[in-house]
């Protein structure tokens, strides 16, 4: 009887530790863009417009990026900010390759669900992986 109780307890602990977590966060765009990591990573020559458009010629519309990062040993905010910066950098790199100077209409697009905000981005954090998806336009 004692062995059975210990086995059930261990099994319950293992299942709890292995359970899938998908916590939705809405985090500050400005905080992420003003971080030390952003200053090292992002291109200041490519302007970013969240949830709004900018004047110019649209070179590519409704592009999507979906970035994941290792969340182990990081807070959800740290992991989410890193995934966000990776997604923004991919847009900026694409803009530069096309000769553009702006990325506009940037919205969160996790699992093809739009979350449009000029001040916050959406991130989904799990035990081991966090992810950010963005959709936007490249403008010259």
């Amino acid at each position: 009887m004692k062995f059975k109780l210990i086995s059930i307890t261990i099994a319950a602990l293992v299942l709890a530790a292995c359970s899938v977590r998908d916590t939705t966060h809405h985090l500050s765009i400005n905080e992420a863009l003003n971080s030390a990591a952003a200053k090292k990573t992002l291109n200041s020559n490519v302007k970013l417009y969240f949830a709004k458009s900018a004047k110019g010629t649209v070179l590519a519309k409704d592009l999507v990026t979906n970035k994941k990062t290792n969340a182990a040993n990081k807070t959800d905010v740290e992991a989410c900010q890193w995934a966000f910066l990776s997604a923004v950098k991919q847009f900026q790199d694409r803009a530069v390759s096309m000769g553009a100077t702006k990325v506009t209409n940037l919205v969160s697009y996790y699992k093809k669900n739009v979350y449009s905000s000029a001040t916050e981005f959406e991130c989904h954090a799990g035990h081991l992986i966090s992810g950010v998806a963005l959709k936007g336009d490249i403008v010259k």
Side-chain angles (χ1 to χ4, degrees):
M1 178 72 169
K2 198 174 190 180
F3 177 74
K4 191 174 186 179
L5 182 61
I6 291 172
S7 297
I8 291 172
T9 302
I10 290 173
L13 289 173
V14 168
L15 286 174
C18 295
S19 66
V20 175
R21 180 172 75 96
D22 183 14
T23 305
T24 302
H25 294 284
H26 293 108
L27 301 171
S28 169
I29 291 169
N30 283 335
E31 190 175 308
L33 293 179
N34 291 317
S35 68
K39 289 176 180 28
K40 293 177 189 174
T41 306
L42 300 181
N43 183 340
S44 61
N45 296 322
V46 178
K47 302 297 180 214
L48 304 168
Y49 297 85
F50 291 89
K52 64 181 177 180
S53 59
K55 291 183 179 183
T57 303
V58 176
L59 301 179
K61 190 166 182 59
D62 294 330
L63 298 177
V64 175
T65 183
N66 186 356
K67 291 299 190 178
K68 306 286 189 212
T69 192
N70 179 348
N73 298 320
K74 295 179 185 140
T75 66
D76 284 359
V77 172
E78 291 170 329
C80 286
Q81 283 183 346
W82 185 254
F84 173 74
L85 294 176
S86 296
V88 169
K89 181 168 176 24
Q90 185 173 19
F91 267 106
Q92 287 184 322
D93 290 348
R94 179 76 181 265
V96 168
S97 74
M98 297 176 77
T101 57
K102 301 171 197 158
V103 181
T104 68
N105 297 315
L106 279 165
V107 295
S108 294
Y109 197 61
Y110 199 82
K111 293 187 178 178
K112 298 185 180 181
N113 295 309
V114 173
Y115 174 75
S116 180
S117 173
T119 59
E120 295 180 327
F121 67 94
E122 182 176 339
C123 175
H124 288 251
H127 288 297
L128 298 175
I129 296 175
S130 292
V132 171
L134 298 176
K135 181 167 83 166
D137 306 331
I138 306 294
V139 175
K140 185 170 184 175

